[in-house]
Amino acid sequence: MPSMQALERDQALTKPAYRILSEKFGEKVSRVTEYRGDLAITVDRAAWKEAARTLRDHPELDYKLFLDLCGVDYLNDESRPDRFEVALHLYSVTHKHHIRLKTAVPEKNPTCDSLTDIYKGANWFEREAFDLYGIAFLGHPNLTRILTHDDFVGHAMRKDFPTGKRFVSKKPKEWLLHVPKGSEHLVLNVGPSHPAMHGTFRVQVLLDGETIRDAAAEIGYLHRNFEKMAEERTYWQIIPYTDRLNYCSAFINGHGWALAVEKLLGVAAPARAEAIRVILSEFSRIMDHLVCISTNVVDLGAITPFFVVFRAREEIYDLLDSVCGARLTVSYVRIGGVAQDVPDDFDARCRKTLGWIREVADQMENLLTRNKIFADRFKDVGVMSKEDALSYGWVGPCLRGSGVGYDIRKDHPYSGYDQYDFDVPVGTVGDCYDRYLVRVEEIKQSARIIEQALAKLPKGDFITHDRKVALPPKSEVYSNIESLMNHFKLVYDGILAEPGEVYGYCEGANGELGYYIVSEGKKYPTRVKVRPPCYNIYQAYPEMIKGTMIADAVAMIGGLNVVAGELDR
Amino acid sequence: METLLTPALKEIAIDAVIGVIKLAVIFNVLLLVFSLMTYIERRILGFMQFRRGPNRTGPWGILQPAADGIKLFFKEELMPEGANKFLFFAAPVVAIITAYVSLAVVPYGGPLVLPFYGPVSLFGRPINIQIADLDVGILFIFAITALGVYSIVFAGYASNNKYALIGGLRSSAQMFSYELALGMSWVSVIMAAGSFRLNDIVAAAERMNPWMWLLIQFPAFVIYMIAACAEVNRTPFDLPEGETELVAGFHVEYSSMKFALMQMAEYINMMTVCALASNMFLGGWLSPLPGVIPNSPLWFFAKMGLLLFVFIWLRATVPRFRYDQLMNFGWKRLIPAAAIWVVLFSGLTAVFGEKKTPPSTVAIIAPAAGQVSR
């Protein structure tokens, strides 16, 4: 693997993370690579847990934000002694730096230390790696299946697990909680089908009167194993599947995917394509926030804001429709650009839609922000401290509501976000009200970005000229043989990325949406791991609702904006 | 003996006949108004929420209630496993009976006067648009509506459903708490009128001038409307149903006509509290411009409709309280406010006498009561 060469020692020592880890663990830090700007350090299994702890606690490193943990199966890679690998992604908010920590796990004894007492967010991710890869995490408090059901046999993401294999679940999982014997509390199942559950997921709560004493969540009802599907699709065939992740803001998922693949390939989209992507991403973000806020207040019993904001959402859908012919699942993005140029009346349509957004945002605020009952229901409810939010891996509006001003558009500008002037709102308390206010402000800031992007929408191509990435225009395909062959090869073989791995990320409506792509130079990616923002966010939910009332639990869940398509993948 | 008994018996017989006729008329009118209410509520909500509401069944969708009724009638009756059969059946029955009975003593207008005809009389008696003119009308309504909570508790308990149970529990606590404030808000009206009879209260308002009456009783009116909203489980006090929390709360397991009866009882209770409010505080069938426009039962219905509209408007505007906020508001704000108002009003009545309450005192009382309720 030429480009994934390990760094030379003197070069590696310039990286503080490597220097500190190698000082502490010596030979156990086996390898360090930097590929497309991604720093990745491989450590031995024995040092795994302590290395993660060092990354978190060392003041020079301060990787406090837990992003992702996943397994990778290198069944077909003969050069590796161990079949599996566990990859951990962390972020340092103070130093604005991502890092990937990896460790190899052999097939014979697929175990690894659990990081649950270092990062709270590791809990569900380790369960997922156990569920899909069969990697056992030692010291995990509750190592059970999470995305598949208990009747499932085998581990779905292993390369030797047949893609089409299915298992039917015969019975529901009756108990999620451990109810003490002789307990006089009431066990109540909220969901999987319940008006307050925005999607199909289930929370089992132990009730003492109206107060929740204990809670446990079950997810996976919508699990379709997007990641397994992605392993048998070419890079652009995956685009439509990304639309189904967070379907409230489908465009951003495709945008993130395109960015990740472009990072892997080392290509860039033309300026016009990037500007179009920014505009549509921001519209999608507004849409997502509008849906989030309005469905949240429907949970509180206020139905009117829902209808108010859905008028603007309708306008945005019409806009998307005019651009790409689809409303919900847009599939508009392409690797290296967008599928087609925007229509002529794009500018006018955008401005009309912005007018609608401003109007309904004002109306919504009038109905809610100073509404006494609404404020009483939201203030000091579901308070999330900064430290816990980072440890759980909260991102996006929820993290900003807790007072951490981490916004990828600002801290790691992509697609030309650095050209636009906008502010990142940050909360102070970390309660539901703060999360609401952050979203409201973000709607306004997104509108600002759109206006600026519209004002200087560059002319030019909407997709790259790189013929290894983008299809040639049809006029050329029909008129000369080179383009015809080029078209044929691209469609037949797909985009061939060189071996390597990247973690591409963008600011989704819910927060950092990451794609960890491992390529072995083939037609299909070896591994695609989505880092879904709401997976981390929802993980904290059962803990958050303990000691609160049912009504609070209902008020909280909407503001977390959990989208089942993204949660269960 | 016979000659002595006959006139008395005749009186009773005439009373009974008139009573039955009134009963039939008013019962049916209320049924009609109830079904119209559901239609109007949906249309108003639709208007407030930028949508159309029911507009497909008949002209302007006006037949929608009939369609709903027919649909509910033919739905399957479900009884959950392990339900307490007797109580499960009893709940809608209790609900509808208490709802209708409490409406029996509400006067809808003074003596019936038809245009181009004059006062109507039957068997030589003037007809009042009221089924039963009880001396203790208010107390009777209070007693009967308090019974209504049983239907919700029965429904919650009998359904063998945890959501229903929580809804039933919430409801009993809520209704109990707000009944106190509700009852206390009536005291000043009763004091000013010197009677429990609703007709007397309207008469007292007429003596004083309905606007003046409302002005003096305004704090009580506000307390009454809030408490009444809680009594009939409307937003922001719809915790027993709490669509998104408890799915549908106490009536989650009800279907078909049993569900329809529960719904009907709820709407009729809503009409009852609005009818009472318009009689007690807004001067019932008195015209808003005394002497200029004649009194008419239409005024009563207009005032009642206005209050019903306020309920619908509220539903479209505010979210729901949390359980502890509801209790705090009820016990720590509303009941003290009502109690203070009762003491203040009785003090003022003692000092100035029934008819001498000067309007300037209102200016002192109203802000004071507002301060308490804040």
Side-chain angles (χ1 to χ4, degrees):
Chain A
M1 290 194 281
S3 54
M4 278 293 284
Q5 285 293 345
L7 294 180
E8 297 299 325
R9 190 168 165 74
D10 50 340
Q11 207 185 346
L13 278 175
T14 59
K15 312 285 173 200
Y18 175 73
R19 180 167 48 78
I20 289 159
L21 284 182
S22 66
E23 273 166 20
K24 198 160 180 184
F25 301 104
E27 288 302 302
K28 285 179 186 159
V29 183
S30 50
R31 187 180 152 90
V32 54
T33 59
E34 190 167 35
Y35 182 64
R36 309 275 192 219
D38 279 10
L39 184 68
I41 297 175
T42 310
V43 297
D44 281 1
R45 253 200 307 173
W48 172 247
K49 190 171 176 181
E50 287 313 307
R53 196 190 296 279
T54 312
L55 287 177
R56 184 191 68 171
D57 291 339
H58 199 286
E60 240 184 282
L61 304 174
D62 205 31
Y63 289 101
K64 286 239 172 7
L65 177 59
F66 172 86
L67 285 179
D68 187 36
L69 186 145
C70 67
V72 188
D73 184 359
Y74 289 104
L75 181 66
N76 306 319
D77 190 345
E78 301 296 331
S79 64
R80 285 174 188 265
D82 298 320
R83 176 174 169 186
F84 298 112
E85 199 172 66
V86 177
L88 168 73
H89 287 90
L90 299 173
Y91 182 74
S92 164
V93 178
T94 43
H95 303 294
K96 299 192 175 173
H97 193 255
H98 283 87
I99 195 171
R100 173 157 63 248
L101 189 70
K102 300 194 289 182
T103 189
V105 174
E107 186 177 3
K108 284 272 153 54
N109 173 25
T111 57
C112 177
D113 281 334
S114 167
L115 303 181
T116 40
D117 39 344
I118 302 174
Y119 293 106
K120 289 184 177 177
N123 191 322
W124 281 16
F125 283 90
E126 288 180 353
R127 279 175 69 187
E128 185 186 322
F130 166 74
D131 186 358
L132 300 181
Y133 283 96
I135 300 169
F137 290 86
L138 306 173
H140 191 287
N142 176 28
L143 197 64
T144 48
R145 288 184 182 273
I146 185 162
L147 292 178
T148 60
H149 51 78
D150 286 342
D151 293 338
F152 202 88
V153 184
H155 302 285
M157 281 294 282
R158 287 191 174 190
K159 290 276 179 195
D160 47 9
F161 188 90
T163 312
K165 198 160 182 182
R166 302 279 188 278
F167 292 99
V168 177
S169 176
K170 303 255 171 24
K171 57 187 188 307
K173 193 171 179 175
E174 200 170 338
W175 294 100
L176 307 177
L177 288 170
H178 301 286
V179 182
K181 238 185 183 166
S183 163
E184 290 186 346
H185 296 332
L186 181 73
V187 176
L188 184 71
N189 279 304
V190 185
S193 176
H194 184 276
M197 292 287 140
H198 296 223
T200 330
F201 26 92
R202 169 184 173 202
V203 185
Q204 195 170 57
V205 293
L206 190 66
L207 283 181
D208 178 8
E210 288 259 332
T211 314
I212 295 168
R213 290 282 170 237
D214 201 359
E218 189 187 23
I219 63 166
Y221 288 92
L222 217 62
H223 180 59
R224 57 219 182 266
N225 215 340
F226 161 76
E227 290 159 11
K228 184 85 173 178
M229 288 193 276
E231 287 176 10
E232 301 195 351
R233 302 286 185 282
T234 60
Y235 289 97
W236 56 36
Q237 282 176 335
I238 296 169
I239 293 171
Y241 290 92
T242 63
D243 287 336
R244 276 85 179 163
L245 291 173
N246 181 351
Y247 38 75
C248 292
S249 52
F251 182 83
I252 305 184
N253 305 322
H255 188 185
W257 172 250
L259 287 171
V261 177
E262 283 159 16
K263 184 174 176 183
L264 178 72
L265 300 169
V267 299
R272 183 173 174 84
E274 294 285 34
I276 295 171
R277 285 175 179 184
V278 165
I279 292 169
L280 293 185
S281 274
E282 293 309 313
F283 272 126
S284 302
R285 189 184 319 282
I286 290 170
M287 198 158 69
D288 195 284
H289 286 353
L290 288 177
V291 172
C292 170
I293 294 170
S294 60
T295 52
N296 197 182
V297 295
V298 166
D299 292 349
L300 301 184
I303 31 180
T304 306
F306 181 79
F307 292 102
V308 171
V309 309
F310 266 52
R311 290 183 301 162
R313 182 172 177 263
E314 192 62 27
E315 288 295 316
I316 300 176
Y317 271 149
D318 283 350
L319 176 78
L320 288 171
D321 189 3
S322 78
V323 170
C324 64
R327 287 157 59 86
L328 188 71
T329 49
V330 286
S331 299
Y332 177 55
V333 115
R334 292 291 178 273
I335 315 295
V338 290
Q340 67 213 37
D341 209 348
V342 291
D344 296 335
D345 59 348
F346 183 66
D347 191 86
R349 270 177 185 273
C350 284
R351 287 184 199 283
K352 181 172 155 253
T353 311
L354 277 181
W356 268 103
I357 289 165
R358 294 235 163 76
E359 194 189 320
V360 304
D362 284 348
Q363 285 179 0
M364 186 183 71
E365 270 206 279
N366 285 341
L367 273 168
L368 295 174
T369 308
R370 289 185 309 283
N371 185 326
K372 182 87 168 70
I373 299 177
F374 172 74
D376 280 350
R377 287 295 308 272
F378 260 24
K379 274 184 183 161
D380 299 317
V381 170
V383 178
M384 193 61 161
S385 72
K386 213 184 241 186
E387 290 72 30
D388 276 353
L390 289 170
S391 181
Y392 272 116
W394 278 30
V395 280
C398 293
L399 181 68
R400 292 193 279 276
S402 291
V404 183
Y406 170 49
D407 187 325
I408 300 168
R409 294 174 294 168
K410 227 9 169 213
D411 295 330
H412 304 277
Y414 57 92
S415 294
Y417 269 111
D418 43 349
Q419 308 160 28
Y420 310 121
D421 183 28
F422 65 100
D423 299 318
V424 177
V426 174
T428 48
V429 186
D431 55 4
C432 288
Y433 197 64
D434 272 3
R435 291 193 275 274
Y436 158 77
L437 290 179
V438 164
R439 284 207 167 86
V440 169
E441 187 55 34
E442 279 187 15
I443 291 172
K444 295 176 184 162
Q445 296 300 332
S446 291
R448 264 179 81 191
I449 297 175
I450 294 169
E451 278 201 335
Q452 296 170 48
L454 277 179
K456 49 184 176 190
L457 183 65
K459 299 244 178 310
D461 295 322
F462 58 87
I463 194 160
T464 175
H465 276 296
D466 190 336
R467 288 283 168 261
K468 284 183 176 156
V469 175
L471 292 174
K474 282 283 181 293
S475 56
E476 289 179 26
V477 175
Y478 292 141
S479 57
N480 67 59
I481 186 69
E482 288 81 12
S483 294
L484 182 65
M485 285 167 70
N486 189 312
H487 189 278
F488 174 76
K489 287 295 278 182
L490 256 184
V491 169
Y492 204 78
D493 288 346
I495 300 169
L496 296 174
E498 52 182 283
E501 53 183 55
V502 293
Y503 174 74
Y505 48 90
C506 75
E507 182 73 22
N510 275 335
E512 175 162 345
L513 172 72
Y515 292 96
Y516 172 48
I517 309 174
V518 179
S519 155
E520 286 179 324
K522 302 203 181 90
K523 185 176 170 183
Y524 305 138
T526 302
R527 171 77 164 119
V528 174
K529 170 71 171 72
V530 191
R531 187 238 172 254
C534 65
Y535 196 71
N536 298 50
I537 292 169
Y538 187 55
Q539 194 177 160
Y541 180 68
E543 286 301 317
M544 285 167 76
I545 62 174
K546 279 180 198 169
T548 64
M549 306 185 103
I550 306 174
D552 283 336
V554 168
M556 271 179 242
I557 191 160
L560 300 181
N561 197 14
V562 187
V563 181
E566 184 181 75
L567 185 75
D568 295 343
R569 280 160 290 144
Chain B
M1 284 298 278
E2 263 183 307
T3 47
L4 280 174
L5 268 174
T6 317
L9 275 176
K10 203 177 154 196
E11 287 290 296
I12 292 171
I14 290 174
D15 273 349
V17 169
I18 294 176
V20 166
I21 293 172
K22 279 185 192 169
L23 211 60
V25 170
I26 292 177
F27 181 85
N28 283 304
V29 167
L30 281 177
L31 260 183
L32 191 71
V33 173
F34 151 73
S35 55
L36 270 180
M37 260 296 290
T38 60
Y39 168 75
I40 291 169
E41 172 166 29
R42 288 166 68 182
R43 288 298 285 212
I44 292 177
L45 278 181
F47 169 73
M48 288 180 175
Q49 296 168 346
F50 313 101
R51 53 195 178 83
R52 298 197 187 279
N55 67 345
R56 293 290 139 149
T57 344
W60 310 290
I62 197 113
L63 294 178
Q64 188 64 40
D68 286 343
I70 293 167
K71 184 198 79 174
L72 280 170
F73 206 81
F74 287 107
K75 283 270 173 184
E76 187 186 356
E77 289 258 7
L78 291 172
M79 164 97 67
E81 228 176 56
N84 184 323
K85 275 188 186 153
F86 176 70
L87 289 184
F88 193 76
F89 270 109
V93 175
V94 172
I96 200 74
I97 287 177
T98 53
Y100 268 118
V101 167
S102 56
L103 267 178
V105 295
V106 175
Y108 302 93
L112 182 59
V113 183
L114 288 181
F116 312 115
Y117 182 83
V120 181
S121 61
L122 210 59
F123 306 112
R125 291 172 190 212
I127 301 291
N128 265 344
I129 317 176
Q130 182 183 19
I131 296 170
D133 190 8
L134 289 194
D135 286 342
V136 287
I138 293 187
L139 289 185
F140 179 78
I141 290 180
F142 197 44
I144 294 294
T145 49
L147 284 179
V149 73
Y150 279 104
S151 78
I152 295 181
V153 175
F154 285 172
Y157 171 76
S159 294
N160 191 26
N161 179 309
K162 290 169 184 175
Y163 288 110
L165 183 65
I166 297 172
L169 285 175
R170 276 182 176 186
S171 167
S172 51
Q174 174 182 332
M175 292 183 112
F176 175 64
S177 311
Y178 280 77
E179 232 154 50
L180 288 174
L182 192 77
M184 273 200 265
S185 70
W186 295 350
V187 173
S188 63
V189 178
I190 296 165
M191 251 189 272
S195 169
F196 285 109
R197 188 206 290 265
L198 283 157
N199 280 320
D200 291 351
I201 292 173
V202 177
E206 190 170 21
R207 277 200 302 280
M208 188 181 270
N209 176 338
W211 288 105
M212 197 60 178
W213 180 263
L214 175 63
L215 196 64
I216 291 172
Q217 301 292 354
F218 196 72
F221 177 54
V222 172
I223 293 168
Y224 174 85
M225 283 307 281
I226 296 173
C229 198
E231 278 295 293
V232 296
N233 298 331
R234 294 283 298 186
T235 323
F237 302 99
D238 60 340
L239 280 88
E241 291 166 47
E243 171 71 28
T244 44
E245 288 166 28
L246 301 182
V247 192
F250 62 89
H251 60 56
V252 65
E253 294 288 3
Y254 280 85
S255 58
S256 187
M257 269 325 269
K258 288 209 277 290
F259 172 77
L261 286 182
M262 295 290 248
Q263 283 290 313
M264 208 150 119
E266 255 188 73
Y267 274 88
I268 288 175
N269 280 333
M270 202 163 109
M271 279 153 59
T272 311
V273 295
C274 290
L276 265 187
S278 56
N279 271 331
M280 290 200 304
F281 300 101
L282 306 181
W285 58 90
L286 304 177
S287 91
L289 295 170
V292 183
I293 313 172
N295 298 338
S296 155
L298 289 180
W299 290 120
F300 169 81
F301 284 106
K303 288 166 184 173
M304 187 172 128
L306 187 75
L307 295 177
L308 287 171
F309 173 76
V310 170
F311 276 174
I312 295 169
W313 190 7
L314 264 180
R315 180 174 167 194
T317 314
V318 288
R320 159 186 331 123
F321 277 109
R322 197 172 63 210
Y323 184 68
D324 59 326
Q325 289 168 347
L326 176 96
M327 286 292 141
N328 277 342
F329 184 72
W331 286 97
K332 293 186 185 161
R333 308 276 164 80
L334 210 57
I335 292 175
I340 288 171
W341 172 244
V342 167
V343 172
L344 259 179
F345 191 84
S346 43
L348 289 170
T349 314
V351 173
F352 297 104
E354 188 199 336
K355 285 170 198 165
K356 280 180 274 172
T357 312
S360 57
T361 50
V362 176
I364 306 163
I365 298 158
Q371 203 65 41
V372 171
S373 62
R374 201 164 293 143

